[in-house]
DNA sequence: GTTGAAATCCTCTGGTG
DNA sequence: CACCAGAGGATTTCAAC
């Protein structure tokens, strides 16, 4: 069976909920919090890693403190004519360092990007100089968090 | 001066870009990749942690593999009448385990939430049973990635 | 002030009961 | 699953640039 949902018990859920926001919590501290010894905690962390439930460990960066003060949600609609526009579009935006995150919405030609730049001027030059020039882009709409 | 932008050199940028996607990379491996020894790498990791540039370390969970197959972006507009609705609303949604992420948009009464549930039925019951009942919620719109 | 190397300390992991 | 021992990595200290 494909797409099988692994059996997860109360301990696994507690561990995942801790790791979701505090990866650096030591195995020992987790074991004390949930009432287990270190060994099974270590095993219960490794299993979701191998199963691909934990896709990766990421450091969340406060872009504003680095001078990336402008953060924008950009909705992009793609041209319906171009057949391989999705793959091409995704490849293109992955090369843009300004794109922090992106999601493909239902309808399959509608993306939402989160874009971070140092200033509104940088954002606008990214928009007109780079994003609008990607093949297949039909229309763009921005909203600022 | 408030909001000062720290001086970041080439090494810091390289370290941050590694940590952004691969936190578990050892200090030794980072030092080999960027051509520095372990000591300065360790210090250059701690500094952005203390400055709040690295806000937290997070394990990214594949919700689909846990059976949370439905992931939805929800736009919520808040009622303009209620003065403290922002704080109340944020407090409320932080208690909802279904809310994976949320952002406050410009206009100050417009939130975007990312919601993950096990099924569309669960999502709908979350929507009508919990989210719409939060004080100050004026209107809701959903879009599915 | 920052680096580089060695010593210390801490934490993870594999084996045993 | 708990306990214990070995191993690997991170952090502190100190000398040098």
């Amino acid at each position: 069976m494909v797409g099988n949902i692994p059996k997860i018990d109360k301990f696994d859920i507690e561990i995942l909920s801790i790791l979701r926001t505090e990866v650096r919590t030591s195995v020992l501290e987790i074991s004390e919090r949930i009432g287990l010894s270190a060994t099974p905690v270590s095993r219960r962390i490794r299993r979701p890693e191998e199963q691909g439930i934990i896709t990766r460990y990421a450091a969340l960066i406060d872009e504003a403190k680095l001078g990336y003060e402008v953060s924008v949600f950009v909705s992009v609609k793609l041209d319906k004519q171009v057949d391989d526009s999705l793959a091409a579009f995704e490849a293109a935006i992955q090369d843009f360092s300004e794109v922090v995150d992106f999601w493909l919405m239902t309808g399959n030609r509608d993306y939402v990007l989160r874009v971070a730049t140092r200033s509104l001027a940088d954002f606008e030059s990214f928009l007109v100089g780079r994003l609008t020039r990607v093949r297949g882009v039909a229309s763009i709409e921005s909203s600022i968090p």
Side-chain angles (χ1 to χ4, degrees), chain A residues 56 60-61 63 68 70-72 93 96-103 112-117 126:
Chain A
R56 61 178 192 187
L60 303 189
I61 310 292
E63 292 121 7
Y68 292 85
V70 177
S71 175
V72 185
I93 62 177
F96 294 157
S97 60
E98 293 91 344
V99 176
V100 183
D101 236 330
F102 70 92
W103 305 270
V112 170
L113 323 182
R114 199 160 70 82
V115 175
T117 57
F126 165 74

Side-chain angles (χ1 to χ4, degrees), chain A residues 12 16 21 31 44 52 61 100 125 131 134 136:
Chain A
D12 293 314
L16 282 181
T21 54
S31 69
R44 282 162 187 270
I61 310 292
V100 183
S125 82
L131 189 57
V134 176

Side-chain angles (χ1 to χ4, degrees), chain A residues 101-114:
Chain A
D101 236 330
F102 70 92
W103 305 270
L104 173 63
M105 311 299 281
T106 45
N108 269 4
R109 305 216 160 259
D110 195 359
Y111 279 88
V112 170
L113 323 182
R114 199 160 70 82

Side-chain angles (χ1 to χ4, degrees), chain A residues 39-88:
Chain A
T39 311
V41 171
S42 187
R43 293 196 174 285
R44 282 162 187 270
I45 292 175
R46 172 165 293 178
R47 192 169 38 171
E49 289 173 356
E50 290 169 349
Q51 289 173 329
I53 291 171
I54 295 176
T55 55
R56 61 178 192 187
Y57 293 97
L60 303 189
I61 310 292
D62 186 338
E63 292 121 7
K65 290 210 173 140
L66 284 178
Y68 292 85
E69 306 206 5
V70 177
S71 175
V72 185
F73 278 98
V74 180
S75 295
V76 177
K77 285 192 199 312
L78 295 187
D79 197 326
K80 285 189 164 52
Q81 314 319 22
V82 186
D83 274 348
D84 60 345
S85 58
L86 279 92

Side-chain angles (χ1 to χ4, degrees), chain A residues 2-15:
Chain A
V2 177
N4 203 358
I5 296 170
K7 284 88 197 152
I8 302 285
D9 67 8
K10 187 73 185 170
F11 289 129
D12 293 314
I13 292 175
E14 286 191 73
I15 291 172

Side-chain angles (χ1 to χ4, degrees), chain A residues 19 82 88 135:
Chain A
L19 292 180
V82 186
R135 195 166 65 101

